[in-house]
Amino acid sequence: MTPVVTQVLLKKKKQQTLARSMATKEDPTSEQQMYYKDVAGFFIFLLVVFTVLMISLYA
Protein backbone atom coordinates (compact mmCIF):
# COMPACT_ATOMS: atom_id res chain seq x y z
CA MET A 1 0.00 0.00 0.00
CA THR A 2 2.88 2.38 0.69
CA PRO A 3 4.15 2.55 -2.92
CA VAL A 4 0.69 3.54 -4.12
CA VAL A 5 0.50 6.38 -1.60
CA THR A 6 3.98 7.52 -2.60
CA GLN A 7 3.07 7.49 -6.29
CA VAL A 8 -0.09 9.47 -5.65
CA LEU A 9 1.78 12.07 -3.60
CA LEU A 10 4.52 12.40 -6.23
CA LYS A 11 1.93 12.81 -8.99
CA LYS A 12 0.10 15.44 -6.96
CA LYS A 13 3.35 17.31 -6.36
CA LYS A 14 4.18 17.27 -10.09
CA GLN A 15 0.74 18.68 -10.94
CA GLN A 16 1.18 21.48 -8.41
CA THR A 17 4.59 22.44 -9.80
CA LEU A 18 3.21 22.43 -13.35
CA ALA A 19 0.30 24.62 -12.30
CA ARG A 20 2.68 27.05 -10.62
CA SER A 21 4.97 27.24 -13.64
CA MET A 22 2.02 27.91 -15.93
CA ALA A 23 0.63 30.56 -13.59
CA THR A 24 3.91 32.47 -13.43
CA LYS A 25 4.22 32.83 -17.21
CA GLU A 26 3.06 36.27 -18.34
CA ASP A 27 1.35 36.47 -21.67
CA PRO A 28 1.90 39.88 -23.28
CA THR A 29 -1.09 39.47 -25.59
CA SER A 30 -3.45 38.94 -22.67
CA GLU A 31 -2.02 42.05 -20.96
CA GLN A 32 -2.61 44.02 -24.14
CA GLN A 33 -6.17 42.70 -24.40
CA MET A 34 -6.81 43.66 -20.77
CA TYR A 35 -5.49 47.16 -21.50
CA TYR A 36 -7.84 47.51 -24.48
CA LYS A 37 -10.76 46.33 -22.36
CA ASP A 38 -9.90 48.89 -19.67
CA VAL A 39 -9.74 51.70 -22.25
CA ALA A 40 -13.00 50.60 -23.84
CA GLY A 41 -14.69 50.43 -20.43
CA PHE A 42 -13.47 53.91 -19.59
CA PHE A 43 -14.86 55.32 -22.85
CA ILE A 44 -18.21 53.63 -22.22
CA PHE A 45 -18.23 55.11 -18.72
CA LEU A 46 -17.55 58.60 -20.12
CA LEU A 47 -20.31 58.15 -22.71
CA VAL A 48 -22.84 57.17 -20.03
CA VAL A 49 -21.85 60.09 -17.79
CA PHE A 50 -22.02 62.53 -20.70
CA THR A 51 -25.46 61.19 -21.73
CA VAL A 52 -26.85 61.48 -18.19
CA LEU A 53 -25.43 64.99 -17.91
CA MET A 54 -27.00 66.07 -21.21
CA ILE A 55 -30.37 64.59 -20.22
CA SER A 56 -30.29 66.33 -16.85
CA LEU A 57 -29.33 69.69 -18.42
CA TYR A 58 -32.10 69.39 -21.03
CA ALA A 59 -34.86 68.73 -18.50
Side-chain angles (χ1 to χ4, degrees):
M1 183 168 168
T2 306
V4 174
V5 173
T6 306
Q7 289 175 357
V8 169
L9 290 176
L10 288 175
K11 187 173 184 180
K12 188 174 183 181
K13 188 174 182 178
K14 283 182 184 178
Q15 288 177 348
Q16 287 176 348
T17 56
L18 285 175
R20 286 185 193 144
S21 66
M22 290 179 70
T24 57
K25 290 182 183 176
E26 293 184 11
D27 190 11
T29 56
S30 71
E31 276 188 34
Q32 192 174 11
Q33 288 174 350
M34 287 173 50
Y35 174 75
Y36 286 141
K37 284 182 181 180
D38 287 343
V39 171
F42 180 69
F43 281 133
I44 291 171
F45 171 74
L46 286 179
L47 179 68
V48 168
V49 168
F50 182 74
T51 304
V52 169
L53 183 67
M54 287 296 115
I55 290 172
S56 66
L57 288 175
Y58 182 76

